[in-house]
Amino acid sequence: MKSPKTVFVCTECGAQTPKWLGKCPHCGRWNTLVEEEVTPEVEAPRTARRTSMNGIGGEGKATRFADLTVSSYIRSETGLGELDRVLGGGLVTGSVVLLSGEPGIGKSTLLMQISDALGQSRKVLYVSGEESGGQLKLRAQRLGILGERLYILTETNLEQILSEANEIKPDVMILDSIQTIYSDKINSAPGSITQIRECTLTFINKAKSEGISMLLVGHVNKEGGIAGPKVLEHMVDAVLYFEGERQQAYRIIRAVKNRYGSTNEIGVFEMTDRGLLEVANPSEMLLSGRPKNVSGNCALCTIEGTRPLIAEVQALVTPTVFPSPRRTCNGIDYNRMYLILAVLEKRLGLKFYQNDVYLNVIGGLSIDEPAADLAIAAALISSLTDRIVPDDLIVIGELGLAGECRAVANPELRVREAARLGFTRAIIPYRNVEKRPISVEGIKIIPVRSVYEVIKELKNAE
Ligand code: TYD
Ligand code: MG
């Protein structure tokens, strides 16, 4: 018998090669090629191929730009305001959303909770390829969900799922998870790139042609990518990452792609014994349990989307026993840390090179805004000199290479949030108040021009 024809598919980018290679010629990653059987063309109908990746299809005719009309999106609220915000104001009818995260982070819990809320006005079909009906029911009971208009299907076969969906005609479909679903028409194993891609494409076509909103769950592999196919990200309308430390209760959801909204917003949840609770006031959460009177701690303010978030950065600077000192950071970009250390050494003559440096942002938050620079610098100086940054002082500002404090965006929004949380003093760059002074009740503004002045003000503030 003729052995089946196979190709090698990259699990990261989906590129195919006829031979095995150590490195994918397309995306350049190592050890990502896996062997898969080729599906005969006859079995995959040509009409399906004509549909574009995002399922919009092609009319084959060009339209004058002026004649195009703007379609307005119909959105449904999911019952979780934090998730709605990340989605851009609710779940868009006919959109396909990929929710990805590590196993055990709470994806199924989140989807079960929203399917209940969505079920108030729409028909929801929850397809689970991972848990039995009994397990789902148990979870729903724990979450206090009645699920009167919720349909559960425990099935992994694509054709079966489609035929059930045609029967039930849901408005919203949840597919938990896309990696477990397989089509009879494709020879390769469930979870392989070809299976995932073809199944997703089928769901996208269905979503677009029938106006069904789809939520796909995608597991994340150990490198942090969506297991196997990055290809999935290109096909769907929105990609949401559900993140957090499994040992900690807090979970953050963020959009890395969204055709219907901004990708800057984050949603914060707390995992409790009765499911996920929204955290409307993340700053309070991030500041809870702050150690008092300890050196190396400083409050910072970052803006995620439209929302200011106050968090805390902790630094630990200890004499090194290594020939080259250790530098570790969590939640802050490595290069940013090196840059801040270099500026402090050069401009203030501080001897960090004799010390190990550990930096951590509390709450599993990652900060990618330069507005946190001065707070990081203050925490480092505080730990090195063993002097305490007072609890009621917040430090805002970007640090330039010359040691200058540079203006940040939205200073007033940050100061207001700080005042709301009980801070009474804010160090902020002089440039921010030069032309238009900021006055917020209950908080004193301390303008600074350089990192040297920051040190002076920290000493004054003690
Ligand atoms: P789950 O939603 O199954 O995660 P995923 O689908 O992402 O793999 O839930 C994961 C964890 O959440 C599980 O270890 C138990 C915990 N959990 C709670 O703490 N409280 C709850 O109410 C529920 C339903 C789950
Ligand atoms: Mg799950």
Side-chain angles (χ1 to χ4, degrees), residues 103-109 126 128 130-131 139 176-177 217 219:
I105 207 79
K107 301 181 291 297
S108 306
T109 308
Y126 190 119
S128 176
E130 305 198 332
E131 286 152 308
R139 172 179 297 134
D176 187 2
S177 67
V217 170
H219 289 298

Side-chain angles (χ1 to χ4, degrees), residues 254 264-266 302-309 365-368:
R254 66 176 81 238
N264 294 325
E265 301 287 353
I266 63 165
T302 173
I303 292 188
E304 295 276 351
T306 52
R307 183 160 63 170
L309 269 185
L365 205 68
S366 27
I367 310 275
D368 51 9

